Amino acid sequence: MKRHKKNILMVLCLLMQLGVLAQIPEVPNRQEGEGPWPQLIIRGVILINSTGSPPLGPVDIVVENNRITDVRMVGTTGLPVDPAKRPQLKPGGKELDATGMYLLPGFVDSHAHIGGNNGTDASYVYKLWMAHGVTTIREPSAGNGLAWTLEQKKRSERNTITAPRIKAYTRFGMGSKQPIATAKQARDWVRQNAKNGADGIKFFGAAPEIMQAAAEENKRLGLKSAIHHAQTDVGRWNAMHSAKAGISSLEHWYGLPEAMFTDRTIQDYSLAYNYTNEQDRFSEAGTLWKQAAAPFSDRWSKVMDELIALDFTLSPTFNIYEANRDLMRARRAEWHEEYTMPKLWDFYAPSWNAHGSYWHSWGTEQEVQWRENFRLWMAFINEYKNRGGRVTVGTDSGFIYELFGFAYPREMELLREAGFHPLEVIKAATLNGAELLGMEKEIGSVEIGKLADFVIVEENPLMDFKVLYGTGAIRLVENNQVTRVGGVKYTIKDGIVYDAKDLLAQVKKMVEEEKAKTGYQIIQPGIAPHKH
């Protein structure tokens, strides 16, 4: 998604080209987490893997020098663990007793903006992600500048900061001294982007010859790519064009309905539509899927099958559009009070200027349209998965009332709503994301030889993804007592064990301190602040 304000669009684009962006507060050196150790043994977990296997355990998982060296079954249901079966701890090693807990591969967020222009700093964002088990992100657009993002990537690789590992994608044309207007300029820019150290490119659209040249050159160099088909160019370059050109993934869903139009070539825009009025843009986008071919029709199936044959990945980011079908739910999410920064809350409010703050007059009619849009969209995504297509979990949080970290389990819930089995959701969140990034030999599943990235939770997330929220899930227990269960217990990245709840407590304190500076209160839009 775009990360700038519309009334200064041209200025910010120029600043991005020059690499001149607002100063981001320095991320402090890591003080959280224990380890790494020469050997780490996680004892007694139930393993929920991404390989298609049902849960199994108890198992002991052995890590040495940040690589999994053993995944050993040490017992069966109903019988005590046999000590003779357990791997032995070596001198200098560490045991983590996770008896009865559930362990999953570290989560991959395939669409994760680090922050900046929406009033958040990186340390706040990183800790929210890590508190929710996100150990790897793909940063589309390098919104804080490529040099800055690459420095964060290096610091994360060295584990000198508390942060997920980072894949840095630049926005197409970023850093160019002049607008890219020819195929040659496109190829030259792509080659320079690779030399600069980028992991890939995020496209929004351009003239077809420019898109073709850039996508082909990028793939030839072995880099990955993503595309958000902006309405300004989707009429001449849709999802099918992107897949055929070798682009790796589709962000959101723009470009998919357009590839399945049968009785039109352009979205049925109202004649008063203006793209810079985001209420127009987002409300009318809510009618797009019903303009496309019907589910399971010949055209619908043909497009799907061809995209799958081209190994085209879909990163739907359902959650970032969920406010469109239920604005009140998104505004009233319980984590906003304690975990949403004041500047971020202000950024969400209705505005002519801030991207994604298009609640100028958002009501029943828009929400009903978007619920139908979701139904048709979800049907495509679920069948795409059923036919062997790759779907990932991406959040695009920091916009539209979706908070970093908390948006991740919500995206998992929405894939479940679309029809995914919970184990298919886990695969989308882990192994599929790793494959999209070209990292499937390193992360994405719990297998010998892979890196030590894990999520450990005390409750079974397959039964209720809500236990992955930092705020947990509500349970009524004996004596009519209402309690909370869940929240990630440990996030392990590169063999370093992080107390996920401590990370979340740190975020809560950050927000409290920021509010205390001005006496800030979170107030719902259009309501006057309470006077004491």
Short mmCIF file of all heavy atoms in Angstrom, two decimals, residues 81-127:
data_model
loop_
_atom_site.label_atom_id
_atom_site.label_comp_id
_atom_site.label_asym_id
_atom_site.label_seq_id
_atom_site.Cartn_x
_atom_site.Cartn_y
_atom_site.Cartn_z
N VAL A 81 7.00 -39.54 29.74
CA VAL A 81 8.17 -39.49 28.87
C VAL A 81 9.21 -40.50 29.34
O VAL A 81 9.46 -40.65 30.54
CB VAL A 81 8.77 -38.08 28.85
CG1 VAL A 81 10.12 -38.06 28.15
CG2 VAL A 81 7.80 -37.10 28.18
N ASP A 82 9.80 -41.20 28.39
CA ASP A 82 10.86 -42.16 28.71
C ASP A 82 12.20 -41.41 28.71
O ASP A 82 12.67 -40.99 27.65
CB ASP A 82 10.87 -43.27 27.66
CG ASP A 82 11.92 -44.34 27.95
OD1 ASP A 82 12.72 -44.15 28.91
OD2 ASP A 82 11.96 -45.34 27.22
N PRO A 83 12.83 -41.23 29.88
CA PRO A 83 14.08 -40.48 29.94
C PRO A 83 15.17 -41.05 29.04
O PRO A 83 16.02 -40.30 28.53
CB PRO A 83 14.50 -40.60 31.42
CG PRO A 83 13.22 -40.88 32.15
CD PRO A 83 12.40 -41.70 31.21
N ALA A 84 15.12 -42.35 28.78
CA ALA A 84 16.16 -42.97 27.96
C ALA A 84 16.07 -42.52 26.50
O ALA A 84 17.05 -42.61 25.76
CB ALA A 84 16.05 -44.50 28.04
N LYS A 85 14.90 -42.05 26.10
CA LYS A 85 14.73 -41.62 24.71
C LYS A 85 15.17 -40.17 24.48
O LYS A 85 15.28 -39.74 23.34
CB LYS A 85 13.26 -41.76 24.30
CG LYS A 85 12.77 -43.20 24.23
CD LYS A 85 11.31 -43.23 23.78
CE LYS A 85 10.79 -44.66 23.65
NZ LYS A 85 9.37 -44.68 23.22
N ARG A 86 15.40 -39.44 25.56
CA ARG A 86 15.63 -38.02 25.42
C ARG A 86 17.07 -37.71 25.01
O ARG A 86 18.02 -38.36 25.47
CB ARG A 86 15.32 -37.28 26.73
CG ARG A 86 13.97 -37.62 27.31
CD ARG A 86 13.48 -36.57 28.26
NE ARG A 86 12.67 -35.57 27.57
CZ ARG A 86 11.75 -34.81 28.19
NH1 ARG A 86 11.54 -34.93 29.50
NH2 ARG A 86 11.07 -33.92 27.51
N PRO A 87 17.27 -36.75 24.13
CA PRO A 87 18.63 -36.33 23.79
C PRO A 87 19.31 -35.72 25.00
O PRO A 87 18.66 -35.08 25.85
CB PRO A 87 18.42 -35.29 22.68
CG PRO A 87 17.01 -34.84 22.82
CD PRO A 87 16.25 -35.98 23.39
N GLN A 88 20.60 -35.92 25.09
CA GLN A 88 21.35 -35.48 26.26
C GLN A 88 21.86 -34.04 26.08
O GLN A 88 22.32 -33.66 25.00
CB GLN A 88 22.52 -36.42 26.52
CG GLN A 88 22.09 -37.84 26.85
CD GLN A 88 21.22 -37.89 28.10
OE1 GLN A 88 21.62 -37.44 29.17
NE2 GLN A 88 20.02 -38.45 27.95
N LEU A 89 21.78 -33.29 27.16
CA LEU A 89 22.28 -31.92 27.16
C LEU A 89 23.80 -31.92 27.27
O LEU A 89 24.38 -32.59 28.12
CB LEU A 89 21.68 -31.14 28.32
CG LEU A 89 21.97 -29.63 28.35
CD1 LEU A 89 21.25 -28.94 27.20
CD2 LEU A 89 21.53 -29.02 29.68
N LYS A 90 24.44 -31.16 26.41
CA LYS A 90 25.89 -31.06 26.42
C LYS A 90 26.34 -29.94 27.37
O LYS A 90 25.55 -29.03 27.68
CB LYS A 90 26.40 -30.77 25.00
CG LYS A 90 26.12 -31.89 24.00
CD LYS A 90 26.62 -31.51 22.62
CE LYS A 90 26.34 -32.62 21.60
NZ LYS A 90 26.80 -32.25 20.24
N PRO A 91 27.58 -29.97 27.82
CA PRO A 91 28.08 -28.89 28.68
C PRO A 91 27.93 -27.54 27.99
O PRO A 91 28.23 -27.40 26.80
CB PRO A 91 29.56 -29.25 28.86
CG PRO A 91 29.61 -30.73 28.67
CD PRO A 91 28.58 -31.04 27.63
N GLY A 92 27.42 -26.57 28.73
CA GLY A 92 27.21 -25.24 28.18
C GLY A 92 25.89 -25.08 27.46
O GLY A 92 25.56 -23.99 26.98
N GLY A 93 25.11 -26.17 27.40
CA GLY A 93 23.83 -26.12 26.71
C GLY A 93 22.72 -25.58 27.60
O GLY A 93 22.91 -25.35 28.80
N LYS A 94 21.56 -25.38 27.02
CA LYS A 94 20.40 -24.83 27.72
C LYS A 94 19.19 -25.71 27.45
O LYS A 94 18.92 -26.10 26.30
CB LYS A 94 20.13 -23.41 27.22
CG LYS A 94 18.79 -22.82 27.61
CD LYS A 94 18.74 -22.44 29.08
CE LYS A 94 17.43 -21.71 29.40
NZ LYS A 94 17.35 -21.31 30.82
N GLU A 95 18.44 -26.01 28.51
CA GLU A 95 17.18 -26.72 28.37
C GLU A 95 16.03 -25.74 28.56
O GLU A 95 16.05 -24.92 29.48
CB GLU A 95 17.06 -27.83 29.42
CG GLU A 95 17.94 -29.03 29.17
CD GLU A 95 17.71 -30.13 30.19
OE1 GLU A 95 17.69 -29.82 31.40
OE2 GLU A 95 17.52 -31.28 29.79
N LEU A 96 15.02 -25.83 27.70
CA LEU A 96 13.80 -25.04 27.86
C LEU A 96 12.66 -26.02 28.05
O LEU A 96 12.31 -26.77 27.13
CB LEU A 96 13.56 -24.17 26.62
CG LEU A 96 12.31 -23.29 26.65
CD1 LEU A 96 12.41 -22.25 27.76
CD2 LEU A 96 12.09 -22.61 25.30
N ASP A 97 12.09 -26.03 29.24
CA ASP A 97 10.99 -26.94 29.54
C ASP A 97 9.70 -26.36 28.97
O ASP A 97 9.18 -25.37 29.45
CB ASP A 97 10.86 -27.13 31.05
CG ASP A 97 9.78 -28.15 31.42
OD1 ASP A 97 9.20 -28.76 30.50
OD2 ASP A 97 9.51 -28.33 32.62
N ALA A 98 9.21 -26.99 27.93
CA ALA A 98 7.97 -26.54 27.29
C ALA A 98 6.95 -27.67 27.30
O ALA A 98 6.13 -27.81 26.39
CB ALA A 98 8.24 -26.08 25.87
N THR A 99 6.98 -28.47 28.34
CA THR A 99 6.11 -29.64 28.45
C THR A 99 4.65 -29.26 28.27
O THR A 99 4.14 -28.37 28.95
CB THR A 99 6.31 -30.32 29.82
OG1 THR A 99 7.68 -30.70 29.97
CG2 THR A 99 5.42 -31.55 29.94
N GLY A 100 4.02 -29.93 27.32
CA GLY A 100 2.60 -29.71 27.08
C GLY A 100 2.28 -28.48 26.26
O GLY A 100 1.11 -28.23 25.92
N MET A 101 3.28 -27.69 25.92
CA MET A 101 3.06 -26.51 25.09
C MET A 101 3.08 -26.90 23.61
O MET A 101 3.42 -28.02 23.25
CB MET A 101 4.11 -25.44 25.39
CG MET A 101 4.10 -24.94 26.82
SD MET A 101 5.31 -23.61 27.07
CE MET A 101 5.36 -23.54 28.87
N TYR A 102 2.75 -25.95 22.76
CA TYR A 102 2.68 -26.18 21.32
C TYR A 102 3.74 -25.35 20.62
O TYR A 102 3.88 -24.15 20.89
CB TYR A 102 1.29 -25.82 20.80
CG TYR A 102 0.22 -26.72 21.37
CD1 TYR A 102 -0.32 -26.46 22.64
CD2 TYR A 102 -0.24 -27.83 20.68
CE1 TYR A 102 -1.28 -27.29 23.19
CE2 TYR A 102 -1.19 -28.67 21.22
CZ TYR A 102 -1.71 -28.40 22.48
OH TYR A 102 -2.65 -29.24 23.03
N LEU A 103 4.49 -25.99 19.72
CA LEU A 103 5.57 -25.32 19.00
C LEU A 103 5.28 -25.33 17.51
O LEU A 103 4.93 -26.37 16.93
CB LEU A 103 6.90 -26.00 19.30
CG LEU A 103 8.15 -25.38 18.65
CD1 LEU A 103 9.35 -25.47 19.60
CD2 LEU A 103 8.49 -26.06 17.31
N LEU A 104 5.43 -24.17 16.89
CA LEU A 104 5.23 -24.00 15.45
C LEU A 104 6.48 -23.36 14.86
O LEU A 104 7.28 -22.74 15.57
CB LEU A 104 4.03 -23.09 15.18
CG LEU A 104 2.68 -23.45 15.77
CD1 LEU A 104 2.52 -22.89 17.18
CD2 LEU A 104 1.55 -22.92 14.89
N PRO A 105 6.67 -23.46 13.53
CA PRO A 105 7.76 -22.70 12.90
C PRO A 105 7.52 -21.20 13.09
O PRO A 105 6.38 -20.75 13.23
CB PRO A 105 7.66 -23.09 11.42
CG PRO A 105 6.82 -24.33 11.38
CD PRO A 105 5.90 -24.24 12.55
N GLY A 106 8.60 -20.42 13.09
CA GLY A 106 8.46 -18.97 13.18
C GLY A 106 7.61 -18.44 12.04
O GLY A 106 7.69 -18.91 10.91
N PHE A 107 6.80 -17.43 12.33
CA PHE A 107 5.87 -16.89 11.34
C PHE A 107 6.59 -15.95 10.37
O PHE A 107 7.50 -15.22 10.75
CB PHE A 107 4.74 -16.14 12.02
CG PHE A 107 3.85 -17.00 12.89
CD1 PHE A 107 3.28 -16.49 14.04
CD2 PHE A 107 3.58 -18.31 12.55
CE1 PHE A 107 2.47 -17.27 14.85
CE2 PHE A 107 2.76 -19.11 13.34
CZ PHE A 107 2.20 -18.58 14.50
N VAL A 108 6.12 -15.96 9.13
CA VAL A 108 6.64 -15.08 8.08
C VAL A 108 5.52 -14.10 7.70
O VAL A 108 4.43 -14.54 7.31
CB VAL A 108 7.07 -15.87 6.84
CG1 VAL A 108 7.56 -14.93 5.74
CG2 VAL A 108 8.14 -16.90 7.20
N ASP A 109 5.78 -12.81 7.83
CA ASP A 109 4.82 -11.80 7.36
C ASP A 109 5.30 -11.32 6.00
O ASP A 109 6.32 -10.64 5.88
CB ASP A 109 4.73 -10.62 8.34
CG ASP A 109 3.56 -9.70 8.04
OD1 ASP A 109 3.17 -9.60 6.85
OD2 ASP A 109 3.02 -9.06 8.98
N SER A 110 4.57 -11.69 4.96
CA SER A 110 5.02 -11.42 3.59
C SER A 110 4.69 -10.01 3.12
O SER A 110 5.04 -9.64 2.00
CB SER A 110 4.40 -12.44 2.62
OG SER A 110 2.99 -12.36 2.63
N HIS A 111 4.04 -9.21 3.97
CA HIS A 111 3.75 -7.82 3.60
C HIS A 111 3.79 -6.98 4.87
O HIS A 111 2.76 -6.77 5.52
CB HIS A 111 2.40 -7.71 2.92
CG HIS A 111 2.19 -6.41 2.20
ND1 HIS A 111 1.95 -6.33 0.85
CD2 HIS A 111 2.23 -5.13 2.63
CE1 HIS A 111 1.82 -5.07 0.48
NE2 HIS A 111 1.98 -4.32 1.56
N ALA A 112 4.97 -6.48 5.22
CA ALA A 112 5.16 -5.86 6.53
C ALA A 112 5.95 -4.56 6.40
O ALA A 112 7.17 -4.59 6.20
CB ALA A 112 5.89 -6.83 7.45
N HIS A 113 5.26 -3.44 6.52
CA HIS A 113 5.92 -2.14 6.50
C HIS A 113 6.45 -1.82 7.91
O HIS A 113 5.72 -1.94 8.89
CB HIS A 113 4.94 -1.05 6.07
CG HIS A 113 4.46 -1.21 4.66
ND1 HIS A 113 5.27 -1.01 3.57
CD2 HIS A 113 3.24 -1.56 4.16
CE1 HIS A 113 4.58 -1.22 2.46
NE2 HIS A 113 3.35 -1.56 2.79
N ILE A 114 7.68 -1.38 7.99
CA ILE A 114 8.31 -1.17 9.29
C ILE A 114 7.77 0.07 10.01
O ILE A 114 7.81 0.14 11.23
CB ILE A 114 9.85 -1.12 9.15
CG1 ILE A 114 10.36 -2.48 8.70
CG2 ILE A 114 10.52 -0.71 10.45
CD1 ILE A 114 11.84 -2.53 8.37
N GLY A 115 7.21 1.01 9.28
CA GLY A 115 6.65 2.19 9.94
C GLY A 115 7.35 3.45 9.46
O GLY A 115 8.02 3.46 8.44
N GLY A 116 7.17 4.53 10.18
CA GLY A 116 7.81 5.79 9.82
C GLY A 116 6.80 6.88 9.56
O GLY A 116 6.52 7.70 10.43
N ASN A 117 6.21 6.89 8.36
CA ASN A 117 5.33 7.98 7.99
C ASN A 117 4.01 8.00 8.75
O ASN A 117 3.30 9.00 8.73
CB ASN A 117 5.03 7.93 6.48
CG ASN A 117 6.27 8.21 5.65
OD1 ASN A 117 7.21 8.83 6.13
ND2 ASN A 117 6.29 7.75 4.41
N ASN A 118 3.64 6.90 9.41
CA ASN A 118 2.40 6.88 10.18
C ASN A 118 2.64 7.14 11.66
O ASN A 118 1.77 6.88 12.49
CB ASN A 118 1.65 5.57 9.97
CG ASN A 118 2.51 4.35 10.28
OD1 ASN A 118 3.59 4.47 10.86
ND2 ASN A 118 2.06 3.19 9.88
N GLY A 119 3.81 7.65 12.02
CA GLY A 119 4.06 8.06 13.39
C GLY A 119 4.56 6.97 14.31
O GLY A 119 4.50 7.11 15.53
N THR A 120 5.06 5.86 13.76
CA THR A 120 5.58 4.79 14.59
C THR A 120 7.07 4.64 14.35
O THR A 120 7.56 4.86 13.25
CB THR A 120 4.89 3.45 14.25
OG1 THR A 120 5.07 3.16 12.86
CG2 THR A 120 3.41 3.52 14.55
N ASP A 121 7.80 4.24 15.40
CA ASP A 121 9.22 3.99 15.22
C ASP A 121 9.48 2.49 15.17
O ASP A 121 8.64 1.68 15.57
CB ASP A 121 10.06 4.67 16.30
CG ASP A 121 9.83 4.10 17.68
OD1 ASP A 121 10.20 2.92 17.90
OD2 ASP A 121 9.31 4.81 18.55
N ALA A 122 10.62 2.12 14.65
CA ALA A 122 10.90 0.73 14.32
C ALA A 122 10.93 -0.17 15.55
O ALA A 122 10.44 -1.30 15.49
CB ALA A 122 12.22 0.64 13.57
N SER A 123 11.48 0.29 16.66
CA SER A 123 11.57 -0.56 17.84
C SER A 123 10.18 -0.99 18.32
O SER A 123 9.96 -2.15 18.69
CB SER A 123 12.31 0.17 18.97
OG SER A 123 12.45 -0.66 20.09
N TYR A 124 9.24 -0.08 18.32
CA TYR A 124 7.85 -0.35 18.68
C TYR A 124 7.26 -1.42 17.76
O TYR A 124 6.65 -2.39 18.21
CB TYR A 124 7.08 0.96 18.59
CG TYR A 124 5.57 0.88 18.57
CD1 TYR A 124 4.84 0.70 19.73
CD2 TYR A 124 4.87 1.06 17.38
CE1 TYR A 124 3.45 0.68 19.71
CE2 TYR A 124 3.49 1.03 17.33
CZ TYR A 124 2.78 0.84 18.51
OH TYR A 124 1.41 0.83 18.48
N VAL A 125 7.48 -1.25 16.46
CA VAL A 125 6.92 -2.16 15.47
C VAL A 125 7.56 -3.55 15.60
O VAL A 125 6.87 -4.57 15.61
CB VAL A 125 7.12 -1.60 14.06
CG1 VAL A 125 6.69 -2.60 13.00
CG2 VAL A 125 6.36 -0.28 13.89
N TYR A 126 8.88 -3.59 15.71
CA TYR A 126 9.58 -4.87 15.82
C TYR A 126 9.08 -5.68 17.02
O TYR A 126 8.86 -6.89 16.92
CB TYR A 126 11.09 -4.64 15.99
CG TYR A 126 11.81 -4.09 14.80
CD1 TYR A 126 13.01 -3.38 14.97
CD2 TYR A 126 11.35 -4.27 13.49
CE1 TYR A 126 13.70 -2.85 13.88
CE2 TYR A 126 12.03 -3.75 12.41
CZ TYR A 126 13.21 -3.04 12.61
OH TYR A 126 13.90 -2.53 11.54
N LYS A 127 8.93 -5.01 18.15
CA LYS A 127 8.53 -5.74 19.36
C LYS A 127 7.10 -6.26 19.27
O LYS A 127 6.80 -7.34 19.79
CB LYS A 127 8.77 -4.88 20.59
CG LYS A 127 10.26 -4.74 20.90
CD LYS A 127 10.56 -3.87 22.10
CE LYS A 127 12.08 -3.83 22.33
NZ LYS A 127 12.47 -2.96 23.46
#
